[in-house]
Amino acid sequence: MNLVTAIIQPDAVDNVQIALHRHGINGMTLTEVSGYARQRGHQEVYRGNQVTIDFTDKVKIEILAPDDEAWGIVKVIEDAARTGTVGDGKIWITPISDVVRIRTGERGERAI
């Protein structure tokens, strides 16, 4: 099993959710996050004062997937979230040793 994690622009969430649903993915966890990477924030004017915004708003999507589905999910997210501009985000895959569904006690892929 794998955990597919994607950090994307908030504006891309609807497109990604629709694309994942069409791909047969019916569950994910979404978290509003903030951070920075190479762009290191930006300058804005607020009430006449120049302010440095160090962190930008992003959305983190997490999806548990069987090994054979993880790269397909990555491709779906990548295609749906790409605008071609700086800050589109990142996707990574993390191996998961086990999962337990609390309600039933099911383990492994049956718990996904």
Side-chain angles (χ1 to χ4, degrees):
M1 282 174 294
N2 291 293
L3 177 65
V4 178
T5 304
I7 305 293
I8 63 171
Q9 295 281 2
D11 295 346
V13 170
D14 289 339
N15 290 342
V16 169
Q17 183 180 12
I18 290 166
L20 286 168
H21 181 71
R22 287 184 181 151
H23 187 70
I25 304 303
N26 295 315
M28 69 172 148
T29 300
L30 186 134
T31 310
E32 293 178 6
V33 297
S34 61
Y36 65 87
R38 291 183 185 161
Q39 73 267 21
R40 300 283 290 175
H42 60 279
Q43 299 282 323
E44 288 186 7
V45 176
Y46 178 73
R47 295 187 179 183
N49 296 318
Q50 192 164 10
V51 180
T52 300
I53 308 297
D54 290 326
F55 297 98
T56 57
D57 293 334
K58 301 287 184 173
V59 173
K60 179 167 72 170
I61 295 174
E62 296 173 303
I63 301 169
L64 280 171
D67 292 338
D68 60 341
E69 293 182 23
W71 282 107
I73 293 169
V74 168
K75 181 70 172 144
V76 169
I77 296 170
E78 181 182 6
D79 291 345
R82 179 183 291 123
T83 66
T85 59
V86 173
D88 274 351
K90 301 267 188 305
I91 307 170
W92 61 91
I93 298 174
T94 308
I96 301 296
S97 62
D98 202 3
V99 177
V100 177
R101 184 186 310 264
I102 296 171
R103 178 178 54 87
T104 63
E106 294 171 295
R107 299 180 77 98
E109 289 187 11
R110 291 173 29 137
I112 298 176

